[in-house]
Structures are given as structure tokens and as C-alpha cells.
Amino acid sequence: MDRPTPPPGEASESVRLTAWVRGRVQGVGFRWHTRARALTIGELRGFALNLADGRVQVVVEGDRERCRLLLEWLRGEDTPGRVTGVTEIWDTPRGGYDGFAVR
């Protein structure tokens, strides 16, 4: 898999992205693929978690451009299952994550 990298230039600010992914996203390896994509993008920390209502919650911290790349992937057609929508909130990072985990 090619490693998508942000364009060179000024350092991007550090952010926290929380995304709720709707559709057929449980039981299809969605969290594991999200982790793999986060690791491919690099320098992202956080987790992907199945919710009781069928959504997957993705919390990721890193520079804004790298988080945006993950969000684009979540909304794209390269994800497992079938994504019907993604809602996101951008915030300041809180820290406390060691790598990217599947919960």
C-alpha cells in the first residue's frame, strides 16, 4: 500500500478528530483496516471502537493534515463494508494514546 503523506510545507497544528462512521461497518474488519490506514499515514495516535448502535467511533490525534487524510479514507470507497455517513468533530488534543488501538 502506498504511504499517503501530507504535502511538504509548514508544520501542521496538532488536533484531535472524533469521527462516528455509519453504515455496515461492524463485522467486516473496519476497525482493523482503520488502524492499518492510520499506521500507513503515520504519526497518528488514537483508537477505533465498535458502538452498541452499529457505528464505529474513531478518535485520532496528530497533525491536522494527517488526520484529514484518515477522514478522507473513512469517507472514501476503499473502506471495508459500506459507509453511509461520517460525522466528525475537531478539537484540541488530549494526549494519553500510545499508538493506534482497536478497542
Side-chain angles (χ1 to χ4, degrees):
M1 179 183 315
D2 290 334
R3 183 182 182 103
T5 55
E10 297 180 20
S12 179
E13 69 176 308
S14 188
V15 297
R16 175 186 179 101
L17 165 66
T18 303
W20 293 271
V21 185
R22 297 178 306 280
R24 192 171 63 85
V25 292
Q26 290 191 12
V28 294
F30 193 90
R31 294 174 300 151
W32 293 100
H33 283 275
T34 300
R35 179 181 183 272
R37 179 56 64 158
L39 294 175
T40 298
I41 293 169
E43 300 180 35
L44 294 175
R45 296 157 310 281
F47 64 88
L49 169 73
N50 281 343
L51 299 175
D53 63 6
R55 296 177 298 162
V56 170
Q57 180 183 27
V58 178
V59 176
V60 62
E61 293 185 357
D63 73 58
R64 182 176 296 278
E65 182 61 20
R66 290 178 190 274
C67 289
R68 186 192 62 74
L69 287 171
L70 184 62
L71 181 61
E72 282 181 5
W73 180 81
L74 291 172
R75 288 191 165 133
E77 296 183 11
D78 192 30
T79 58
R82 184 176 47 83
V83 173
T84 59
V86 179
T87 302
E88 89 268 5
I89 293 177
W90 295 87
D91 203 352
T92 56
R94 299 178 192 167
Y97 301 113
D98 198 23
F100 196 94
V102 172
R103 295 185 177 172

